[in-house]
Amino acid sequence: MITISHDEIDAGALIRAAQRPEMGALVTFVGTVRDDDGLEAMELEAYEEAAHEELTAIRDEAMERYAIDSVDIVHRIGRLEVGETILVIVVGAGHRKEAFPACEYVIDRLKQTVPIWKKEYRAGDETWVAGEAGSRKE
Amino acid sequence: MKVRVRAFARFREIFGSEQVIDLPDGAGLDVLLKRFAERREDGRAALFDGEGRLLSHVVLMHNRRRVGDAAVSGTALADGDEVAVFPPVAGG
């Protein structure tokens, strides 16, 4: 499942949905809004059609590179408060040795290529988060 | 021909989320970007340096495919195309 959603993400439900009898490992990454230097809220914006395509491509890359059985990614957009879940990645595999690096690969690639942006709100201040990568020259 | 330009994040705040720009047939991405920039008072400074070069942190997609730095001037457009303009990504 690859989803960009305005709704709260239930990590437990995603893990249960991903589970198959042949999986001995379900490695899950949950990214949340951190209380960072007085952060009050965060607004996430996406180029939704392109972001969905990029997430699908990342899933396909991970499936090719690692001996895993599934990759599910749900990324939230809209306004989030501190502590709320931004995204959940669930990687299912026979063994943890493949699932851990595959999960890390997915989040690292997501941060490099998927067209999603964050705006941080603090008292009297709003700032776009500088992208980690993805300038035109890269 | 008509080309749809979508802007995101900081560029959405400057240009609005979407504009449809009328161009002569055969015009390329470089022509579109200049027309697009001219639509806002501070549009040129947001996208180009003092010598008219596109700033390196302006990311472009043409029909949802990234346009590399070398391809900007050589990308041909067609009626109904979609171009996206955005800053470096920051999801996750």
Side-chain angles (χ1 to χ4, degrees):
Chain A
M1 178 204 294
I2 304 287
T3 307
I4 294 164
S5 173
H6 281 271
D7 303 326
E8 269 187 58
I9 306 171
D10 181 344
L14 282 173
I15 294 166
R16 286 191 295 277
Q19 197 157 10
R20 300 282 180 275
E22 67 274 18
M23 290 176 185
L26 285 147
V27 168
T28 304
F29 174 80
V30 179
T32 58
V33 180
R34 185 178 58 241
D35 180 3
D36 189 0
D37 194 24
L39 186 81
E40 292 176 351
M42 182 181 276
E43 186 86 33
L44 285 117
E45 177 177 340
Y47 179 8
E48 287 191 50
E49 305 92 326
H52 195 279
E53 285 180 12
E54 296 260 0
L55 289 171
T56 303
I58 291 168
R59 178 196 60 197
D60 294 346
E61 286 169 19
M63 299 285 289
E64 274 182 33
R65 283 168 175 255
Y66 299 93
I68 55 176
D69 297 323
S70 67
V71 175
D72 294 288
I73 310 167
V74 180
H75 202 300
R76 192 164 167 199
I77 54 174
R79 190 176 177 90
L80 278 70
E81 308 294 325
V82 169
E84 288 196 280
T85 298
I86 299 169
L87 89 155
V88 175
I89 300 164
V90 181
V91 174
H95 305 280
R96 73 184 187 285
K97 291 277 189 193
E98 288 80 29
F100 272 107
C103 190
E104 188 164 34
Y105 175 84
V106 170
I107 182 60
D108 288 350
R109 291 283 292 130
L110 186 156
K111 284 182 171 285
Q112 289 170 346
T113 67
V114 178
I116 296 176
W117 304 271
K118 295 188 189 104
K119 192 175 208 182
E120 294 182 336
Y121 290 85
R122 293 179 175 83
D125 182 52
E126 47 186 74
T127 322
W128 287 103
V129 175
E132 289 183 21
S135 82
R136 209 176 61 257
K137 293 183 185 292
E138 287 169 341
Chain B
M1 64 176 175
K2 286 183 164 52
V3 175
R4 182 185 184 202
V5 184
R6 298 174 68 181
F8 294 93
R10 196 166 57 77
F11 295 128
R12 175 183 49 76
E13 292 177 339
I14 296 167
F15 294 101
S17 60
E18 187 176 317
Q19 294 185 32
V20 175
I21 296 185
D22 219 333
L23 292 168
D25 285 352
L29 185 55
D30 49 348
V31 174
L32 174 80
L33 291 170
K34 285 190 169 60
R35 290 271 183 97
F36 178 68
E38 286 163 5
R39 294 218 170 170
R40 294 292 184 275
E41 194 178 332
D42 47 359
R44 194 165 176 75
L47 299 182
F48 297 98
D49 68 14
E51 289 166 21
R53 287 183 301 245
L54 195 62
L55 295 165
S56 64
H57 62 262
V58 179
V59 185
L60 303 169
M61 277 188 165
H62 173 228
N63 295 336
R64 298 188 210 159
R65 295 288 169 269
R66 280 183 191 247
V67 179
D69 201 38
V72 174
S73 58
T75 298
L77 299 172
D79 187 54
D81 278 2
E82 179 175 289
V83 169
V85 179
F86 52 81
V89 303

